[in-house]
Amino acid sequence: MAYKEKHAAGFDRITVADVLKKLFEVWKPNATTETIPMERSVGRILAADVRSVNTLPVVRSSGRDGYAVRSADFANGHPDTSAWTLGADYIRADTGDDFDDAFDAVVKVENAHFDENNHFRVNDGIEVKSGLDVNGRGSQIKEGDLILAKGFPIRGYDLGSFAQGGVTEVTVVSKPKVIFIPTGNELIPAGQKPERGQNIDSNSVLVKQMLTELGADVKCTPIISDNVVDLETSLDAAVKDADIVILNGGTSKGLDDHNAEILEN
């Protein structure tokens, strides 16, 4: 084989990089996609850009907990607010609140007070202009804004952005379906007590978890004995059903090691 690395021990060994290079020279996977609810999308890979369908705030909102006022009333400095009434001359406008279009500025709570007669006052030195502490339309997110680009993995905190953007479904790359076939006359399932000449099939547990963490949809078959007919039958069925089939065992020089020959055939 062309892809080998010479080791000091005096034998040739194929490296993992060699195997992957050769694999992708002869196999070109075709990715398929599926559309799923965004709540079930964490960890999946986006197959298409996700863009907002919402604009927030819809109009505009208060940027602070405070009082909405008319900036025109402050054009010549602080007005006499002794006769001001709540609802007519000023209103409460807490953070994120929409408020009446008659008002165009927000004086935060810390910059206002009520005097001994309970009259509303803006603290000295506070300059009130149009737009003060007001979040404009779309300052949070706009329709068409890119939320997450194609090819990125979806993380838990992305779901908050999807929700704000009005996204309920996302198109993701379908998980590759992997079938793992453990083989060997000596193997017994995990959880059983081994007797003389038996060994535990720990690889099924290990490989399934590792491949699941990598994003695959994994199925492990029951243990297949070192019987050519059983091995061929299992392999043929798996190849028809999966994107990737992994045969475990039976590839050395033992009398019952048939897998390498079966694969070659």
Side-chain angles (χ1 to χ4, degrees):
M1 189 174 184
Y3 308 101
K4 292 185 177 180
E5 176 180 278
K6 192 72 174 178
H7 284 247
F11 59 89
D12 291 339
R13 173 171 292 179
I14 302 171
T15 67
V16 172
D18 293 336
V19 173
L20 291 175
K21 182 177 180 181
K22 185 62 177 178
L23 172 63
F24 289 110
E25 283 178 355
V26 298
W27 175 58
K28 305 297 182 185
N30 295 316
T32 59
T33 65
E34 58 180 322
T35 300
I36 61 175
M38 66 97 168
E39 293 90 346
R40 295 196 290 107
S41 67
V42 173
R44 303 295 296 272
I45 305 299
L46 274 179
D49 290 349
V50 176
R51 295 184 178 275
S52 176
V53 298
N54 287 342
T55 294
L56 294 174
V58 176
V59 181
R60 47 98 178 94
S61 65
S62 176
R64 303 280 187 146
D65 292 340
Y67 304 92
V69 297
R70 300 179 184 88
S71 61
D73 292 337
F74 294 79
N76 298 314
H78 285 205
D80 180 3
T81 58
S82 299
W84 278 25
T85 60
L86 180 66
D89 302 291
Y90 69 98
I91 57 173
R92 279 303 303 255
D94 292 333
T95 303
D97 282 356
D98 189 6
F99 53 89
D100 194 294
D101 291 337
F103 305 97
D104 64 344
V106 174
V107 177
K108 64 182 181 179
V109 169
E110 297 87 341
N111 290 339
H113 66 279
F114 291 85
D115 64 19
E116 64 277 6
N117 295 313
N118 204 32
H119 296 148
F120 174 75
R121 304 291 187 184
V122 175
N123 298 349
D124 292 340
I126 301 302
E127 185 177 11
V128 179
K129 291 185 176 181
S130 179
L132 175 66
D133 282 328
V134 175
N135 296 323
R137 167 179 164 80
S139 56
Q140 186 174 345
I141 196 168
K142 294 185 178 69
E143 181 178 357
D145 279 354
L146 179 65
I147 298 175
L148 194 62
K150 172 184 177 180
F152 277 85
I154 299 171
R155 301 145 299 186
Y157 53 79
D158 291 321
L159 301 191
S161 298
F162 292 164
Q164 288 181 336
V167 176
T168 58
E169 295 183 326
V170 291
T171 301
V172 297
V173 177
S174 299
K175 291 185 176 183
K177 187 173 183 180
V178 180
I179 293 181
F180 180 81
I181 306 176
T183 70
N185 292 332
E186 76 284 4
L187 293 182
I188 61 173
Q192 292 188 13
K193 187 173 180 60
E195 297 180 358
R196 182 171 179 173
Q198 293 181 329
N199 202 357
I200 301 296
D201 171 26
S202 58
N203 283 346
S204 290
V205 178
L206 172 66
V207 172
K208 182 174 184 178
Q209 182 59 40
M210 292 177 66
L211 292 175
T212 299
E213 290 177 5
L214 288 172
D217 180 9
V218 188
K219 174 185 176 183
C220 294
T221 72
I223 298 166
I224 308 300
S225 63
D226 291 318
N227 176 282
V228 173
V229 174
D230 291 343
L231 292 169
E232 286 182 336
T233 300
S234 298
L235 181 59
D236 287 342
V239 167
K240 293 175 183 177
D241 192 33
D243 300 303
I244 300 171
V245 178
I246 300 176
L247 271 170
N248 181 218
T251 57
S252 189
K253 301 297 183 180
L255 291 176
D256 294 323
D257 290 335
H258 306 296
N259 288 342
E261 183 179 352
I262 289 172
L263 287 173
E264 188 174 350
N265 292 337

